Amino acid sequence: MSAPEVTPATRFNRTFILLFVVMLTIAAGNTALQSVLPALGRSLRVPDSAVAAAFSVSALLWVLAAPFWAHRSDRHGRRAMILLGMGGFALSLALCGICLAAGINGWIGGTTAFVCFIGGRLIYGTFGAAAPPAVQALVAGSTTRAERTKALTLLGSAFGLGTILGPAIAPYLLLGSIGRIEIGLAGPAFIFSLFGVCVWIAVRRILPGDRASATEASDYHGAANAYPSIGGQSSGASITAATESHSEAVGYTDPRVRSWMIAGLVMGHGQAMTGQAIGFLVIDRLQVAPAQALEPTGIVLMMGAGAALLVQWGIIPNLNLRPRTMMLTGLILAAAGCALTGIATSLYAIACAYALASVGFGFTRPAFTAGASLAVGHNAQGSVAGKVTSINGAAFVLGPSIGVGLYELQHSLPYLLAGAAMLALFAYARFALREPSAISLAGPQLAGRDEADRL
């Protein structure tokens, strides 16, 4: 029997699966660590705010580094940037695992362990951002224009799946002792680091070397992705930034998009505040030991991520809602969900309330993307999409620290304040946001293109 013929289509399918795994791994590894870290912080007796700070610093570096790596991948090759990103991911998690294990075993104090842990997170924020833009550009350069948006949308869904899979499998990655060394809650960091090494080897063996020419770099560019975080599902803006024109530059304060930018920033901070504090809320409201909180925390986070993705992948494409309507509907639901989460006292109540809040944010995130896109012409789509991505990422720089800081003052405070902020934003949005005259929301990230095609 002869070996099956390896066609270009077969080769691309294998490459695409590998690139999908790259994106999924980067997102799932980060959210898995996020879901475990509240329990780790409590076990090591470090302040809750120190736990949030570890991710805020990492998110800040991601926001600053992502545009740099996106530009560099256009000039120095996609494969090299993917290897750099996956190498940074694996090294970061390995160092984080070592620091946490040192604290668990009492070799160093809990505060020292977390200071070292933050050092590991700096590597993730700086170098992990190199992979997603290069992955996007590689897929864009391997597909026709008709196929490109569909392929990039499927690729972007890996980040959304990662927000579900990370917290879902984290409780099963706890390790026992190796000899006299206890691993325990540091297990997810080590496991994902090992998986990252395997993916790095696969990328090195399967992906051919490349370096884009000047013409290719202008046609097939990658775009910065928002920081992969709990509650930070993809809104499609990065895909638009990677495929649409950047010929017209649009600023954050441009009158056409200013109100949408304000709405996105406030909404994003509300989502980041509530998502980062949820692990602490589960521990305190259920009154369980940190190690026993991982499964209920995973359940809450899975329900929240699943609810948001159901809205974005199932409800929005079928209802054809306008961006302003989506934003107003989502803000009301998010306000109710946040407030109910703040007063919930059982696992069932916390999970349902958090899912309701996530449904609301599942409406507001694509509404922000589509509304800003439809506010400008075709030549400004890439520029506006880049601004939307940066706003989404910026919310996870200060949002987690603000939320956990408020939580330390009073456990309900971040949720009640986020709910109040969503109501205030609802009042602002009713008067400030303008509805485009005609739209098609078959997918939020396609809204700008659909409008331009009709014109």
Side-chain angles (χ1 to χ4, degrees):
M1 180 180 295
S2 60
E5 180 182 0
V6 179
T7 65
T10 303
R11 190 178 299 111
F12 174 72
N13 288 338
R14 183 177 65 173
T15 300
F16 183 85
I17 292 172
L18 175 60
L19 297 177
F20 187 92
V21 171
V22 168
M23 298 285 275
L24 181 66
T25 301
I26 290 176
N30 199 48
T31 54
L33 198 56
Q34 277 185 290
S35 68
V36 171
L37 210 53
L40 268 166
R42 291 290 178 86
S43 298
L44 297 177
R45 295 181 174 83
V46 300
D48 295 347
S49 54
V51 175
F55 282 93
S56 290
V57 172
S58 176
L60 174 61
L61 286 175
W62 180 288
V63 169
L64 296 176
F68 170 79
W69 293 125
H71 178 67
R72 191 173 180 85
S73 74
D74 290 337
R75 295 184 298 143
H76 296 280
R78 324 302 188 188
R79 178 175 177 267
M81 293 299 102
I82 296 172
L83 289 172
L84 179 66
M86 287 308 304
F89 169 86
L91 177 61
S92 169
L93 287 182
L95 292 176
C96 289
I98 292 171
C99 296
L100 295 173
I104 291 171
N105 287 275
W107 301 334
I108 57 177
T111 301
T112 303
F114 254 80
V115 170
C116 297
F117 173 85
I118 291 175
R121 296 301 301 164
L122 296 181
I123 296 175
Y124 177 85
T126 303
F127 297 102
V135 168
Q136 284 183 336
L138 197 58
V139 171
S142 304
T143 54
T144 65
R145 183 167 180 82
E147 300 169 334
R148 191 169 302 150
T149 300
K150 181 179 180 180
L152 289 175
T153 300
L154 180 59
L155 193 69
S157 69
F159 263 36
L161 288 175
T163 63
I164 297 179
L165 293 179
I169 65 177
Y172 301 100
L173 302 181
L174 303 186
L175 302 177
S177 299
I178 301 177
R180 296 184 178 181
I181 301 175
E182 181 183 352
I183 304 298
L185 292 168
F190 286 115
I191 296 297
F192 269 102
S193 176
L194 179 60
F195 191 73
V197 170
C198 295
V199 174
W200 187 92
I201 294 172
V203 169
R204 185 173 177 83
R205 291 174 61 89
I206 295 175
L207 290 186
D210 71 290
R211 180 165 294 185
S213 66
T215 301
E216 289 173 330
S218 63
D219 293 338
Y220 311 133
H221 55 273
N225 280 68
Y227 184 72
S229 182
I230 290 173
Q233 293 83 13
S234 174
S235 61
S238 180
I239 298 166
T240 303
T243 56
E244 291 293 347
S245 170
H246 289 249
S247 57
E248 180 186 349
V250 177
Y252 292 99
T253 59
D254 187 296
R256 294 172 294 175
V257 299
R258 182 172 54 214
S259 58
W260 288 104
M261 295 296 161
I262 292 172
L265 190 64
V266 175
M267 172 270 299
H269 275 81
Q271 188 175 21
M273 287 167 52
T274 53
Q276 189 61 56
I278 199 70
F280 299 111
L281 187 74
V282 169
I283 293 173
D284 294 327
R285 290 286 168 82
L286 301 186
Q287 297 183 349
V288 294
Q292 278 69 56
L294 294 187
E295 288 191 13
T297 300
I299 291 172
V300 173
L301 294 177
M302 280 192 297
M303 285 191 63
L309 293 178
L310 175 63
V311 170
Q312 293 185 11
W313 294 353
I315 297 178
I316 291 175
N318 292 311
L319 292 185
N320 198 33
L321 296 175
R322 293 171 175 263
R324 182 176 179 272
T325 302
M326 287 167 54
M327 179 65 75
L328 295 176
T329 302
L331 289 173
I332 289 295
L333 295 175
C338 288
L340 290 173
T341 303
I343 62 175
T345 57
S346 67
L347 176 60
Y348 178 80
I350 294 172
C352 290
Y354 187 70
L356 178 61
S358 298
V359 166
F361 291 124
F363 277 109
T364 59
R365 286 179 70 89
F368 169 41
T369 301
S373 171
L374 291 169
V376 298
H378 177 69
N379 290 337
Q381 290 302 312
S383 178
V384 165
K387 300 298 186 297
V388 169
T389 299
S390 66
I391 289 288
N392 287 334
F396 289 90
V397 174
L398 292 179
S401 292
I402 294 173
V404 176
L406 292 171
Y407 183 86
E408 289 182 310
L409 295 177
Q410 207 280 329
H411 293 173
S412 297
L413 195 55
Y415 298 95
L416 298 180
L417 184 60
M422 296 307 102
L423 289 178
L425 183 58
F426 174 85
Y428 169 80
R430 285 196 62 190
F431 296 99
L433 297 184
R434 296 182 179 181
E435 196 73 83
S437 57
I439 73 170
S440 173
L441 279 178
Q445 70 276 3
L446 302 181
R449 182 182 291 105
D450 293 340
E451 178 71 359
D453 289 344
R454 280 192 293 275
L455 295 174

